Amino acid sequence: MPVIAKGLEGIVANSTRLSDVQGLEGRLIYAGYDISELAGKASYEEVVHLLWHGELPNREQLEALQKELRSRRELPQGIIDFIKSAPKDANPMDVIRTGVSMLGLYDRELLAGQEGDPNYLRALHITAKIGVIAAYFHRARQGKELPPIRTDLNEASHFLYLINGEEPKEEAARTLDVAYVLHADHGMNASTFSARVTIATLSDMYSAITSAIGTLKGPLHGGANEGVIHMLREIGDESNVDAYIENALANKKKIMGIGHRVYKVLDPRAPFLREMAIRLSNEIGEPKWIKMSERIAELMREKKNLNANVDFYSATVYYSLGIPTDLFTPIFAIARTSGWTAHVLEQLEDNRLYRPLTEYVGPAPGKKFVPIDQR
Ligand code: COA
C-alpha cells in the first residue's frame, strides 16, 4: 500500500541552499543567516544578492545589482497598453500574473544585446518590473497618469513612489523594505514549489513565475494578508472579537493569518511585523486594528494552540501605510519574486522532473465500453 502524504506534508522534495524553515524551533534561515540577523539590518537588495549569489554583497556588488535592477524597470509598450486597457475592477494579482506572462512575449527584445546567463537576465527583468506592473495598474484604474520611472530609488521606495505619485516618507520606505526582506524566501512553500515544478519541465522563467503568482493568490497562501483586513473590518471593534472567533471556530471557519503547515511555534517573521504594526497603527491614530489583532492572536493561541503567521501583522502594516487592500498580496509577490527566481535558477542547476504518484480510488478496472446511443 502506498503511503499518502496529503498536501505532501513532511515530504522532502529537493535540497536547497537558499532558505531553511525550521518549524519546531521557529527559525527561518536565508543562506546561513537567521532572519533576525537580516530584518532591519540588510536592505531588500542585499537579500536579493544573497539569494541569487549565495552571499551578502560588498558595497560595489550592491551598487552593481541596484544598477542592474533599476535600469530594467521600464515596461514594454505592449504591457503598458494592456495595463491601461485592463478592466478597472480586475484583481491586481490577475494583472501581475498576466503582465509577467506577457513579459515572455518580449523575451528577445528584453535580452537583446545583453551578456550573461539568459535566465539570470530574466530574473533581473521580472524582479525589476513586477512592482511597476502592479503600481501602474493601480494608477491606471484610478484614471491617474503613470509616473515616470525613476532610477534613484530602491525597490520598496520606487513602488511607493509609483502608487502614490510622490516620493515616500523615509519611515514608510524603510518599513516596506523590511517587509520585502521578511517575504523574500521561505523554503518549499506552495508558490515556490509551483515555480520549481514548472521550470523542471524545462519550460521557461516567465511561465514558472506566472505559475507561482497564480499559486500565491489563494487565501490559504499569500491571499491571507488581504483576508486579515477583510476579517478585521467585519469584526469592526475590539469588543466583538471574542464572539466572532467563537462563532468562526464553531463553524469550522479558518481565521486568516493564523496557523502554518511547517511552524509549530510562532512564525519568526511575525514579531518584526507585529512591532511595526503596533508602531504604525498608533502613529496613524487607529490603534483599534492592532488591538483587535492582538486579541485574535491571544484567543487562537488559547483555543487552538495556533500562532500568527507572516500575513497576520503584515496586513495592519500595509493598511497603516495607506496601501489599498488588494495590493497586499501583490506586495508579497513582488518581494517573493527574488526567492522564486532564485529557486528557478537553482532548480536548473541540477534539474529533475517532479512527478509524484496518486493512489487510484476510482471504479475497479474492467468496465466495457458502451457506444453512446446505448448508454
Ligand atoms: N483558523 C482556524 N483553524 C485552523 C486554522 C485557522 N487559521 N489553521 C488551522 N486550523 C485548524 C484546522 O481547522 C484543523 O483543525 P482540526 O484538526 O480540528 O480539524 C487543524 O488546525 C489543522 O489544519 P489544516 O488546515 O489541516 O492545516 P494545514 O497544515 O493544512 O494548513 C494553513 C496550514 C496555513 C493552510 C492553515 O493554517 C490556514 O488555512 N490558515 C489560514 C490561512 C493563512 O493564514 N494562510 C497563510 C499561511 S502563511
Side-chain angles (χ1 to χ4, degrees):
M1 278 296 279
V3 177
I4 302 174
K6 211 166 171 200
L8 301 183
E9 182 166 2
I11 301 292
V12 180
N14 209 333
S15 50
T16 180
R17 53 174 185 270
L18 300 173
S19 61
D20 189 19
V21 181
Q22 300 181 357
L24 296 178
E25 299 83 357
R27 287 180 81 189
L28 169 61
I29 315 289
Y30 287 175
Y33 294 89
D34 200 290
I35 193 66
S36 59
E37 268 307 301
L38 298 172
K41 298 180 193 161
S43 67
Y44 173 64
E45 286 82 350
E46 286 177 88
V47 169
V48 174
H49 192 284
L50 177 65
L51 292 171
W52 285 352
H53 302 288
E55 54 191 36
L56 286 173
N58 60 28
R59 195 160 290 285
E60 204 180 308
Q61 290 166 324
L62 177 62
E63 279 167 13
L65 178 64
Q66 284 170 331
K67 203 165 158 220
E68 298 265 44
L69 286 167
R70 293 176 190 188
S71 63
R72 287 179 171 83
R73 286 178 176 160
E74 293 285 353
L75 301 180
Q77 188 57 43
I79 297 187
I80 292 185
D81 294 343
F82 149 67
I83 287 169
K84 287 181 171 166
S85 63
K88 292 197 175 356
D89 62 353
N91 181 330
M93 281 301 279
D94 295 339
V95 174
I96 61 169
R97 191 196 57 228
T98 306
V100 168
S101 177
M102 280 185 81
L103 281 175
L105 304 177
Y106 299 94
D107 184 59
R108 206 150 15 119
E109 190 178 302
L110 294 175
L111 268 52
Q114 297 182 33
E115 283 180 9
D117 172 7
N119 282 321
Y120 180 66
L121 297 172
R122 292 177 182 118
L124 281 168
H125 274 291
I126 299 171
T127 307
K129 290 179 169 66
I130 184 169
V132 181
I133 297 172
Y136 270 6
F137 171 65
H138 178 58
R139 299 288 296 181
R141 69 179 171 178
Q142 300 170 91
K144 293 185 174 162
E145 98 292 354
L146 308 184
I149 295 297
R150 283 176 54 171
T151 53
D152 59 334
L153 299 173
N154 70 17
E155 296 304 307
S157 301
H158 193 248
F159 178 74
L160 290 171
Y161 151 70
L162 289 184
I163 61 169
N164 296 320
E166 60 184 31
E167 211 172 303
K169 293 211 174 77
E170 204 190 318
E171 191 191 12
R174 208 177 42 240
T175 302
L176 191 64
D177 188 68
V178 175
Y180 277 17
V181 167
L182 294 170
H183 284 83
D185 199 35
H186 207 232
M188 194 66 106
N189 61 91
S191 54
T192 299
F193 184 48
S194 185
R196 289 189 85 130
V197 168
T198 302
I199 201 65
T201 68
L202 298 183
S203 177
D204 66 274
M205 176 73 85
Y206 306 100
S207 300
I209 306 306
T210 302
S211 301
I213 297 169
T215 307
L216 186 76
K217 183 184 170 193
L220 296 189
H221 193 4
N225 56 14
E226 296 180 17
V228 171
I229 284 293
H230 295 311
M231 173 178 73
L232 293 178
R233 284 214 179 94
E234 204 182 323
I235 297 174
D237 188 81
E238 206 189 335
S239 61
N240 300 329
V241 171
D242 289 44
Y244 179 92
I245 296 293
E246 201 169 311
N247 185 41
L249 293 182
N251 290 299
K252 296 243 165 248
K253 205 174 138 194
K254 289 271 183 76
I255 305 300
M256 291 293 108
I258 300 288
H260 200 273
R261 171 63 65 76
V262 184
Y263 292 124
K264 300 304 168 206
V265 293
L266 185 65
D267 183 329
R269 301 164 296 179
F272 294 99
L273 291 156
R274 175 173 175 267
E275 192 273 318
M276 294 194 283
I278 293 171
R279 185 165 34 83
L280 290 169
S281 55
N282 283 321
E283 264 174 41
I284 62 162
E286 290 190 45
K288 77 169 190 174
W289 303 98
I290 190 67
K291 283 189 178 155
M292 279 193 276
S293 304
E294 295 282 70
R295 181 65 187 148
I296 294 169
E298 189 183 353
L299 285 172
M300 290 304 286
R301 266 193 312 271
E302 273 171 31
K303 291 182 184 291
K304 298 284 289 184
N305 195 25
L306 291 171
N307 286 293
N309 59 48
V310 70
D311 296 310
F312 191 66
Y313 293 107
S314 64
T316 302
V317 169
Y318 301 151
Y319 174 86
S320 306
L321 291 177
I323 296 172
T325 309
D326 64 0
L327 293 184
F328 292 6
T329 315
I331 287 175
F332 191 155
I334 292 163
R336 185 57 60 82
T337 297
S338 56
W340 289 332
T341 49
H343 277 272
V344 168
L345 294 169
E346 187 182 57
Q347 180 70 36
L348 288 170
E349 280 171 22
D350 181 22
N351 188 50
R352 188 147 196 244
L353 182 76
Y354 289 92
R355 190 10 178 134
L357 301 173
T358 44
E359 179 199 17
Y360 176 70
V361 293
K367 287 181 128 187
K368 293 286 174 240
F369 180 76
V370 179
I372 193 159
D373 293 335
Q374 293 167 36
R375 278 179 230 156

